[in-house]
Amino acid sequence: MSNATLSPLPSADHEVAARLREALLAASFTADGLLDLLGAPAYAALARSETVPALRATRGDTPLETLVRLFLLQQPVPHARVEGVLPVHACVAGGWLTRVGDAGGDLAATVDVRPYGGPDGEDWFIVSDLGCAVGGAGGIGNRDEGVVLGVGGASTTLAGITVRTPVASALDLGTGSGIQALHASRHATRVTATDLNPRALHITALTLALSGAPAADLREGSLFEPVRDDESYDLIVSNPPFVISPGARLTYRDGGMGGDDLCRSLVQGAGERLNEGGFAQFLANWQHVEGEDWQDRIRSWVPRGCDAWIVQREVQDVTQYAELWLRDAGDHRGDPAEYQARYDAWLDEFEARKVKAVGFGWITLRRTSAAEPVITAEEWPHPVEQPLGDTVRAHFERLDYLRGHDDAALLAGHFRLAGEIVQEQVGLPGAEDPEHVVLRQNRGMRRATKVDTVGAGFAGVCDGTLSAGRILDAIAQLVGEDPVLLRDRTPAQIRLLVEQGFLEPAPR
């Protein structure tokens, strides 16, 4: 299908957007207001694209109920009800509302407008195509390849892991409905947003205007094509069309390159676009190929001059993966023969590439002048605490510390135990000594790591007062071990505890 089959979009006129925003806020059409009106179950159901509970909760005629029916449930609402809530003439003239029915007595929204709470309590609004506010699980892809989706789990994941330090310039590649550009507008002086789909760029302009955010520099094109050769950025973010599929059927999710080449191209191209110390952060899918270590595959993507932290969050075998994205497009609801043919095509593609599974995760790059950049690739499918931006930034700061301290400097250093670390001892009931000791984080990545009794004792007394070497000397005296040998074998364990965030260098 072509974009011509989609409904016309509102004008990005800032004056009309400002009047509409004022009216929405006056009626408490906000994330908090919705939660109060709908209740937690109906609010959560709406996030899953299930509308029945919200329809039942909005049978009254308050201004907020009117707006929920209009913009979230896409129900026609009588003109008289809307007139007291919104500047109807301006909204119709600006294309936010359209008249429906024989007599034109009802009004309907032309786009989905969804309240979204910013990280510091900002009242934002994410604009998307009708019926496309949440992911693609409702079979959205069947309607039109040019649709623009709203906020899904991937969008919020990327927003949560992004490093939020003040920067001069930020680049959002494949902006979609503009959520990453909106977040970046809080801490970047200049925001550039690109997308292959011109409709997405227009919707991003609407999202920013309706949220009261500064306008972004919007550019049409694929990946880094719209970026000039002389441009570089302090932050690059992208939730790209990372789905590994046979062909480029759906613009919002299928990259159109073979296998995981789109994600590889994105990562490899970011290095030369980053300023020194700048971050590039992506969501990505990658192939698990027979006879190849997935970590080696992703490591090969990292551009020269960049540290990298790669976290694999999930792995699906090729059948699970194909079924997930066939359902996403609604193919399971159509002709069974066509569904089977598409499923076959997907498995043929994987078989030809010797792909046995697909990984999903996060990739963070940081431009560095260090002689030997560090690439960390790990699997961490366990729950984490969002937002993680500060955790990501701290990971690279600790990396700099460790890179600049050899073992002698490490032993001369002072450390303190990070916040909310607990110790667990595991062993048989009644045993005199535990089989092993585990340190566990209750914040950030929520890691757990095994330590020996020396490691546990060392971590337990780290309060920044004594140097690591003096602590080890005291432990050696307590356990009757040669302090020289203990100093020799312990730095590796200290490095691991620092690298994983259990210990923090203490300022002197």
Side-chain angles (χ1 to χ4, degrees):
M1 295 183 182
S2 69
N3 285 2
T5 62
L6 291 166
S7 61
L9 292 173
S11 161
D13 182 281
H14 277 258
E15 185 178 342
V16 175
R19 292 183 63 188
L20 176 56
R21 172 179 173 78
E22 185 179 352
L24 297 178
L25 294 177
S28 297
F29 187 66
T30 63
D32 289 342
L34 284 186
L35 185 58
D36 289 342
L37 172 68
L38 302 178
Y43 187 78
L46 199 59
R48 300 190 300 270
S49 293
E50 296 290 350
T51 59
V52 171
L55 283 166
R56 292 172 60 86
T58 55
R59 289 179 285 199
D61 59 0
T62 65
L64 181 54
E65 287 169 298
T66 297
L67 294 176
V68 170
R69 285 192 159 250
L70 196 61
F71 287 115
L72 296 187
L73 304 177
Q74 277 95 58
Q75 300 291 306
V77 178
H79 184 286
R81 281 186 59 183
V82 180
E83 198 166 32
V85 182
L86 298 176
V88 170
H89 178 75
C91 288
V92 171
W96 292 93
L97 300 176
T98 185
R99 301 185 190 278
V100 296
D102 294 336
D106 288 348
L107 293 168
T110 58
V111 288
D112 188 297
V113 175
R114 188 151 303 230
Y116 178 82
D120 291 326
E122 300 94 340
D123 289 316
W124 288 341
F125 300 97
I126 308 299
V127 180
S128 62
D129 274 311
L130 294 172
C132 301
V134 183
I140 288 166
N142 264 2
R143 296 179 45 196
D144 195 293
E145 66 168 18
V147 296
V148 178
L149 274 58
V151 179
S155 302
T156 54
T157 294
L158 179 59
I161 67 172
T162 300
V163 176
R164 300 295 177 193
T165 52
V167 294
S169 57
L171 172 64
D172 176 16
L173 285 174
T175 187
S177 59
I179 178 174
Q180 309 305 331
L182 182 58
H183 275 277
S185 71
R186 295 176 58 250
H187 61 100
T189 304
R190 175 173 58 89
V191 177
T192 302
T194 73
D195 205 288
L196 186 63
N197 183 1
R199 188 175 182 87
L201 296 175
H202 190 100
I203 282 183
T204 292
L206 297 177
T207 290
L208 294 172
L210 197 58
S211 298
D217 179 3
L218 304 175
R219 304 183 190 178
E220 183 179 344
S222 177
L223 299 180
F224 292 98
E225 286 175 5
V227 179
R228 296 191 302 271
D229 290 342
D230 62 344
E231 289 181 306
S232 58
Y233 297 87
D234 302 308
L235 174 67
I236 299 173
V237 293
S238 183
N239 174 20
F242 52 65
V243 176
I244 300 171
S245 61
R249 185 170 149 230
L250 303 174
T251 304
Y252 70 84
R253 71 168 205 196
D254 300 327
M257 296 186 188
D260 51 16
D261 281 355
L262 181 132
C263 290
R264 176 184 57 78
S265 298
L266 185 63
V267 174
Q268 289 180 337
E272 62 184 1
R273 305 295 186 186
L274 275 179
N275 294 326
E276 178 69 20
F279 287 92
Q281 299 187 262
F282 315 106
L283 302 186
N285 276 184
W286 44 78
Q287 298 171 150
H288 285 227
V289 179
E290 290 179 23
E292 178 184 79
D293 187 317
W294 74 267
Q295 294 187 354
D296 292 340
R297 183 180 191 84
I298 312 306
R299 285 174 182 272
S300 73
W301 294 2
V302 177
R304 294 177 62 182
C306 288
D307 294 320
W309 185 18
I310 300 154
V311 182
Q312 181 167 271
R313 295 288 290 157
E314 186 179 359
V315 180
Q316 290 186 317
D317 68 49
V318 292
T319 59
Q320 290 175 307
Y321 189 81
E323 289 163 16
L324 169 67
W325 294 110
L326 286 165
R327 287 195 303 272
D328 170 84
D331 292 324
H332 60 306
R333 297 175 181 167
D335 176 26
E338 189 174 345
Y339 173 83
Q340 185 171 342
R342 284 183 171 152
Y343 199 151
D344 258 334
W346 224 303
L347 296 186
D348 284 345
E349 177 85 1
F350 284 135
E351 189 175 315
R353 295 178 177 275
K354 298 184 177 180
V355 176
K356 58 185 179 179
V358 177
F360 168 81
W362 320 323
I363 299 175
T364 299
L365 308 177
R366 186 190 59 167
R367 189 79 188 175
T368 179
S369 57
E372 295 184 16
V374 176
I375 302 174
T376 303
E378 61 176 318
E379 187 160 14
W380 190 253
H382 311 294
V384 299
E385 180 194 43
Q386 285 277 34
L388 270 174
D390 287 344
T391 299
V392 173
R393 177 183 47 77
H395 167 90
F396 288 93
E397 289 175 351
R398 293 193 302 270
L399 201 159
D400 283 340
Y401 177 87
L402 292 172
R403 188 159 41 200
H405 289 72
D406 60 15
D407 286 356
L410 203 66
L411 292 175
H414 295 244
F415 302 92
R416 61 188 177 201
L417 194 65
E420 298 197 38
I421 305 290
V422 297
Q423 177 178 306
E424 300 172 358
Q425 297 186 171
V426 181
L428 293 172
E432 185 173 340
D433 295 311
E435 291 178 22
H436 58 260
V437 178
V438 174
L439 298 182
R440 187 179 301 278
Q441 301 168 348
N442 286 323
R443 304 295 303 272
M445 291 292 286
R446 292 180 171 157
R447 296 186 185 279
T449 190
K450 289 182 183 179
V451 291
D452 60 20
T453 51
V454 171
F458 178 87
V461 298
C462 277
D463 61 3
T465 306
L466 299 176
S467 70
R470 289 189 62 187
I471 292 173
L472 290 180
D473 290 344
I475 292 175
Q477 188 173 4
L478 282 173
V479 300
E481 188 168 339
D482 185 334
V484 175
L485 293 177
L486 194 61
R487 278 174 171 256
D488 188 53
R489 70 176 176 85
T490 307
Q493 191 169 190
I494 296 174
R495 277 186 191 280
L496 181 66
L497 292 175
V498 173
E499 180 185 341
Q500 296 192 343
F502 290 93
L503 294 178
E504 301 171 344
R508 299 301 297 161

